[in-house]
Amino acid sequence: MSIPIQLVQLHPTDNVAIARQPIAANTALDLLTTTSDIPAGHKVALIAFAPGDRILKFGQIIGLASQPIAPGDHIHSHNMVAPTQDGHTAHGDLPTNLGAPSMTTASSSAWVGKHDADTALPDHFLGYLRPNGRVGTRNYIGILTTVNCSATVAKRIAAHFTPERLAAFPNVSGVVALTHSTGCGMAGEGEAADVLRRTTAGYADHPNFADVLLLGLGCEMNQASNIVSLSTRENVRSTTIQAEGGTRAAIARGIAEVEAMLPAANAVARTPQPLSELIIGLQCGGSDAWSGVTANPALGLAMDMLIAAGGSAILSETSEIFGAEHLLTARTSPEIAAQLLARVEWWQQYTARHGQVLDNNPSPGNKAGGLTTILEKSLGAVAKAGSTPLREVLEYAQPVTQHGLIFMDSPGYDPVSATGQIASGANLICFTTGRGSVFGAKPVPSLKLATTSGLFRRMNEDMDINCGTILDGTETLPEVATRIFETVIATASGKLTHSEELGFGEEEFQPWIMSAVL
């Protein structure tokens, strides 16, 4: 089938194509005439559909026609629904290897091919080697809280350490207070308490912290001793506001503790470290129809390159792989596949308890950008995981123990998901966006990958990498992947991201709150 240049067909079996730019109603194309306005990034029918017919994109099912659809019709929420079968997605006999997207247009050469193995790529990064052998990409001092009641004091301590006061310590990335809204009014034992403590301990141990102070109120349910017992960091410093005698005394004690940490933190310098010490958290937020076409597959190919060099990548957002989980289970062992499917099943039960379904997930922004069902969103989201075997499935904030592609269970809400990935050990975040999410995640740098050149130009103070050149036809998918790979290494070695320059990172610390408020 010869597809008009105004449209993008991602796989030869697809029966829909994507509009490159807005197409007006009654526009005559080579194969069809549009019957209504087609917004950029939205789907147009290439064939006629009867109700119940399968709609294919990426060579995979993304939905069923809910009414008759003619060639040239706009396909979206008004005439397509997500397929389900006893609560599970119905894939039938569809292919299970998504791979890199191909494009059936005159510029198809921009979409295919693999990285040139002869191209010289970085084989190390400059990181901070810690006494336990882990390696950081930044060198912060952290103030962590056990409970919301200690949040204000923690922030006051961190605020004392202005750039002027830190000028004498050039190797220190900063002093950061990471606070949260829970820690009391909750059960002291059980899943919710375990998740909060595991998350906080993961941050306390994180190699991007040279040292940490754990600050509590004193009478809270989430006692500091529970977190210290989980930490592997030697001599975790901790105190409480009540033990210090109140707010002013606790602030003074906290400032003194950080001042005592600064000389040793500043004495640590970057040294060459193997790429096996890089663990990249993969995020996508504010997605559009191009997320699964440009930024996500380019990031996936870059992660294949990193994993081949010994590094690791963490895929998460379980509610946003729903409908595409078969692409991951097809490349792992039966045992790991069963673990992943068990987490998907948990999410189906979890949403059902709250009167929801997983197909509620695409946000209004996602839908405005051309995504219709959770299957369509998930198929594009999974592309950022590349093509390597899945090595491990973790619960939220559990430490990474394997090298390669890792899955960590989490919600699709980006701050909560990224917080869990960092607690698991991610020392850099790669965040793709089509609508224009703004995000940072101290103590870890966060790279923002724009799906289109228009977004990159419009929000160039927030976006770090333009993946829209793939759609423009000026770069190939492997070329953009190589650029991502090189930018990851430069960022891990100290180059600041735009979100760091803008000061993002404290408010985005959001542990997964699973408890009832008591």
Side-chain angles (χ1 to χ4, degrees):
M1 179 183 294
S2 177
I3 303 299
I5 194 66
Q6 299 95 327
L7 304 176
V8 176
Q9 185 186 30
L10 297 176
H11 191 277
T13 64
D14 289 356
N15 47 28
V16 298
I18 309 171
R20 287 176 174 272
Q21 301 294 335
I23 303 175
N26 302 313
T27 298
L29 304 177
D30 292 346
L31 297 173
L32 50 84
T33 298
T34 57
T35 61
S36 60
D37 293 340
I38 312 293
H42 283 239
K43 297 173 290 295
V44 60
L46 298 178
I47 64 171
F49 295 87
D53 283 352
R54 299 186 298 180
I55 298 171
L56 303 181
K57 179 181 173 184
F58 303 110
Q60 302 279 322
I61 186 171
I62 61 166
L64 304 177
S66 59
Q67 61 188 52
I69 300 173
D73 280 359
H74 177 208
I75 293 184
H76 200 38
S77 305
H78 62 287
N79 55 11
M80 183 174 83
V81 294
T84 59
Q85 185 177 29
D86 298 326
H88 296 272
T89 54
H91 296 290
D93 56 358
L94 293 167
T96 58
N97 56 331
L98 179 60
S102 59
M103 182 173 69
T104 308
T105 70
S107 58
S108 61
S109 61
W111 294 77
V112 296
K114 296 183 178 180
H115 168 67
D116 183 355
D118 295 329
T119 302
L121 292 172
D123 60 0
H124 68 277
F125 71 105
L126 300 178
Y128 296 98
L129 180 63
R130 303 304 183 189
N132 63 3
R134 296 175 69 186
V135 179
T137 61
R138 295 294 184 267
N139 194 37
Y140 280 98
I141 288 173
I143 305 167
L144 307 177
T145 55
T146 63
V147 66
N148 178 255
C149 306
S150 57
T152 296
V153 170
K155 290 180 179 180
R156 298 269 178 87
I157 296 168
H160 174 81
F161 294 93
T162 62
E164 292 75 20
R165 286 193 168 101
L166 291 177
F169 306 97
N171 286 342
V172 176
S173 302
V175 178
V176 57
L178 299 179
T179 65
H180 56 87
S181 62
T182 184
C184 209
M186 59 184 292
E189 303 296 333
E191 185 177 38
D194 290 344
V195 165
L196 179 59
R197 290 165 184 163
R198 191 164 67 226
T199 303
T200 309
Y203 272 73
D205 289 346
H206 201 281
N208 281 21
F209 282 132
D211 212 339
V212 297
L213 171 65
L214 184 60
L215 179 66
L217 174 63
C219 59
E220 63 268 22
M221 189 65 73
N222 185 38
Q223 288 286 301
S225 58
N226 297 120
I227 298 165
V228 172
S229 66
L230 294 176
S231 173
T232 60
R233 184 184 291 271
E234 292 186 7
N235 303 319
V236 175
R237 304 170 190 242
S238 65
T239 190
T240 68
I241 297 168
Q242 292 168 353
E244 295 301 326
T247 295
R248 293 184 188 277
I251 292 171
R253 168 69 185 277
I255 289 172
E257 290 284 357
V258 173
E259 287 175 337
M261 299 175 188
L262 283 169
N266 191 61
V268 182
R270 291 184 182 273
T271 56
Q273 299 296 329
L275 298 186
S276 57
E277 295 302 323
L278 280 181
I279 304 175
I280 311 301
L282 307 176
Q283 290 290 320
C284 56
S287 301
D288 67 356
W290 302 119
S291 295
V293 178
T294 61
N296 286 350
L299 178 57
L301 185 53
M303 291 304 97
D304 286 349
M305 295 159 60
L306 178 67
I307 290 169
S312 300
I314 306 175
L315 179 69
S316 298
E317 303 176 291
T318 315
S319 57
E320 295 183 8
I321 67 153
F322 180 71
E325 64 271 18
H326 61 296
L327 301 177
L328 297 171
T329 58
R331 59 196 221 220
T332 192
S333 68
E335 294 78 15
I336 294 175
Q339 293 171 19
L340 179 62
L341 293 176
R343 298 316 302 166
V344 173
E345 180 66 26
W346 183 93
W347 273 93
Q348 290 180 297
Q349 296 173 2
Y350 176 69
T351 52
R353 286 199 303 270
H354 293 276
Q356 299 184 42
V357 293
L358 285 175
D359 191 48
N360 285 345
N361 179 274
S363 69
N366 296 154
K367 292 185 177 182
L371 297 175
T372 307
T373 66
I374 186 58
L375 276 74
E376 183 178 10
K377 184 177 182 180
S378 294
L379 289 164
V382 166
K384 65 183 181 288
S387 60
T388 60
L390 179 63
R391 299 296 187 189
E392 185 173 35
V393 172
L394 303 173
E395 292 191 23
Y396 185 84
Q398 281 187 327
V400 168
T401 65
Q402 302 292 320
H403 284 280
L405 179 62
I406 312 298
F407 186 86
M408 186 207 75
D409 182 37
S410 83
Y413 185 43
D414 306 307
V416 175
S417 181
T419 295
Q421 290 178 332
I422 294 168
S424 288
N427 49 16
L428 193 147
I429 299 290
C430 284
F431 190 122
T432 68
T433 182
R435 303 291 291 174
S437 294
V438 295
F439 184 79
K442 290 178 180 177
V444 168
S446 178
L447 283 168
K448 305 299 287 299
L449 286 67
T451 66
T452 64
S453 296
L455 170 62
F456 186 77
R457 288 189 296 267
R458 189 170 66 252
M459 298 184 65
N460 65 346
E461 291 187 346
D462 292 274
M463 302 295 116
D464 297 285
I465 299 174
N466 181 17
C467 299
T469 54
I470 300 171
L471 185 62
D472 300 338
T474 58
E475 281 189 294
T476 66
L477 181 67
E479 286 171 342
V480 174
T482 299
R483 189 154 51 82
I484 294 170
F485 180 88
E486 292 172 338
T487 305
V488 163
I489 304 306
T491 302
S493 299
K495 179 182 178 182
L496 293 181
T497 66
H498 286 322
S499 66
E500 289 178 296
E501 292 170 341
L502 290 167
F504 281 87
E506 288 98 344
E507 299 302 327
E508 291 78 7
F509 175 72
Q510 296 289 331
W512 189 1
I513 299 175
M514 305 182 71
S515 62
V517 178
L518 304 178

